[in-house]
Amino acid sequence: MTTAGTAARHLRPRAWIAPIAVVTLLMSLLATMYLAYVVNPTKNLHDFPVALVDQDDGDALGGKPTNVGNQITDALVAGLPADKIDLRVIGFAEAQRQLHQGKVYGAIVIPSDFTKRLAILGAASVVPGKVEQPIITVHTNPRAGSFATGVMQRIADQALTRVDETVGKQLTDTVQTQLQPAEGGQAPALAGASQLMLAHPIQVVVDPYRPLPDGTGQGLSAFFYTIMVLLAGFTGAMIIHSMTDSALGFAPTEYGPWYVHYPAAPISRLRTLLLKWAIMVVTAPIVSAVFLGIAAALDVPLDHPLALFLYCVLAIIAVGVTALSVLAALGTAGLLVNLILFIVLGLPSSGGSVPIEATPRYFEWLATFEPMHQVFLGVRAILYFNAGGAAGLARGSWMAVLGLAIGLVIGALVTLYYDRKGLHRKPGEHAPATE
């Protein structure tokens, strides 16, 4: 019987059904996660944090003390869906703090002279004089992400369009009442331009809070830097795992037609894993320095290069050590587990391009522990938010330390257990071929 025939005979159904099933299931998970992440952010919007600042001091409108800012605040609180928008009515200083830390994606600010300007605008519709439209300022937060900025602008546009119509009707009615003759009769008609101005009295000004400098990819540089760090740990672990096993004789080495399989080294599973960990620890600062150098060469703004270097070293080691531990514990199946953990589930739950609050709620749950989200928070805080701990660096750091500790414990315990059980890595016995 030929070699090809022997190989075909040994290719049992599970040998080709299993890979087809695994690839199909993995791609199904990939499609579900990635398409659900991006296809309908408006429908998936939930708990989107927006600050509302009402500084209006009020004034007399139509001869009555009025505070239109309070009315607008009440209308926005009642009108914006609480399950979609987390509207925070706070002071201006607190709004600035939350914008500075990336806690809110934008702020709607009603100035102190809002009602006063409305009163002057109403009077100017019938009496000559200098007039300025009342202004409501919408501060976007581009450092929190370009997509979040777009969502913030749409929310503000829809909400303030309704506010403009409501306030315009109120102001028009007030002016018409004032023009009504005391003895009765027909009130004088307003000029068309005056009617138009009164109907839409509010000027909305969109003002980015702390705009991003050039070289940040409109807020995407932090996301792609995060991907670089995750891939350094994840793919680095795969490379270290396979090359070390080849060098120790636990797997063949093959480059094109060149093939060699060294004799297996007399080394325990635990010592093998310790060796791989050590290689990862040495590799991490080198790769982090390379990333930093390339970013500097490409004119990426780096206000805190040392913090970025050190944090990325920690993140690469945490991801790499954990990935190596998974491989040591599960063998070939660890490749799939690592791929799902760090990439398939990590990218859509990272919040790097589409904010978590604009994705299905299960992504929010994943973001509580998925490594990519934690690394993104740390990298974004360093690049955009002055390396502030409250902006995400503190959480990103302690979660990396926690992940590293989990990886170390799992890897050490599992490989030590395998060694004590005598489950050494050695070639299996080959059953003799049968005709």
Side-chain angles (χ1 to χ4, degrees), residues 75 122 172 178 215 267 300 330 370 402:
T172 300
Q178 288 179 308
I267 184 173
V300 175
L330 302 179
E370 264 297 323
L402 177 62

Side-chain angles (χ1 to χ4, degrees), residues 13 16 34 73 87 144 183 191 197 202 215 222 229 276-277 297 349 353 389:
W16 55 269
Y34 282 37
T73 297
L87 191 63
E183 64 278 2
M197 181 173 289
I202 300 175
V229 171
K276 293 174 181 178
W277 282 348
S349 62
S353 53

Side-chain angles (χ1 to χ4, degrees), residues 314-328:
L314 172 62
I316 292 171
I317 291 175
V319 172
V321 164
T322 303
L324 287 169
S325 296
V326 171
L327 287 168

Side-chain angles (χ1 to χ4, degrees), residues 202-282:
I202 300 175
Q203 179 184 359
V204 177
V205 176
V206 178
D207 177 38
Y209 181 80
R210 298 179 67 224
L212 285 164
D214 293 336
T216 57
Q218 296 183 339
L220 287 175
S221 61
F223 175 51
F224 283 97
Y225 210 103
T226 299
I227 294 176
M228 287 159 44
V229 171
L230 260 292
L231 289 178
F234 165 68
T235 59
M238 304 300 108
I239 294 169
I240 291 170
H241 173 76
S242 60
M243 294 188 72
T244 303
D245 278 356
S246 295
L248 294 176
F250 297 123
T253 302
E254 185 175 8
Y255 297 104
W258 185 74
Y259 175 93
V260 63
H261 195 164
Y262 299 109
I267 184 173
S268 68
R269 289 176 181 264
L270 177 59
R271 289 177 59 199
T272 302
L273 181 59
L274 291 174
L275 175 61
K276 293 174 181 178
W277 282 348
I279 296 173
M280 176 57 70
V281 170
V282 173

Side-chain angles (χ1 to χ4, degrees), residues 289-308:
V290 169
F291 286 168
L292 199 63
I294 293 174
L298 294 175
D299 295 325
V300 175
L302 300 170
D303 296 331
H304 303 276
L306 180 59
L308 184 61

Side-chain angles (χ1 to χ4, degrees), residues 313-384:
V313 170
L314 172 62
I316 292 171
I317 291 175
V319 172
V321 164
T322 303
L324 287 169
S325 296
V326 171
L327 287 168
L330 302 179
T332 304
L335 295 170
L336 280 176
V337 173
N338 283 333
L339 179 62
I340 293 172
L341 175 63
F342 294 112
I343 304 299
V344 176
L345 300 182
L347 273 170
S349 62
S350 68
S353 53
V354 179
I356 296 296
E357 295 83 1
T359 60
R361 287 187 178 270
Y362 55 84
F363 285 107
E364 187 174 18
W365 173 73
L366 286 172
T368 60
F369 63 87
E370 264 297 323
M372 189 173 290
H373 180 65
Q374 322 311 321
V375 175
F376 171 70
L377 291 178
V379 171
R380 187 185 69 170
I382 295 171
L383 290 178
Y384 301 159

Side-chain angles (χ1 to χ4, degrees), residues 72-157:
I72 292 174
T73 297
D74 293 340
L76 290 175
V77 170
L80 289 174
D83 60 328
K84 293 183 177 295
I85 311 299
D86 176 16
L87 191 63
R88 306 174 182 181
V89 183
I90 53 181
F92 188 68
E94 177 63 15
Q96 284 186 309
R97 186 186 70 82
Q98 294 195 21
L99 284 167
H100 194 77
Q101 296 177 350
K103 301 296 185 183
V104 294
Y105 292 121
I108 300 171
V109 180
I110 304 170
S112 58
D113 62 350
F114 186 80
T115 301
K116 183 177 181 180
R117 283 198 181 191
L118 273 177
I120 294 173
L121 182 65
S125 63
V126 293
V127 178
K130 185 178 180 180
V131 64
E132 293 181 358
Q133 275 186 282
I135 293 174
I136 292 181
T137 303
V138 177
H139 292 289
T140 58
N141 196 357
R143 293 171 186 260
S146 57
F147 195 95
T149 296
V151 174
M152 175 65 202
Q153 287 179 303
R154 286 196 295 272
I155 291 171
D157 181 62

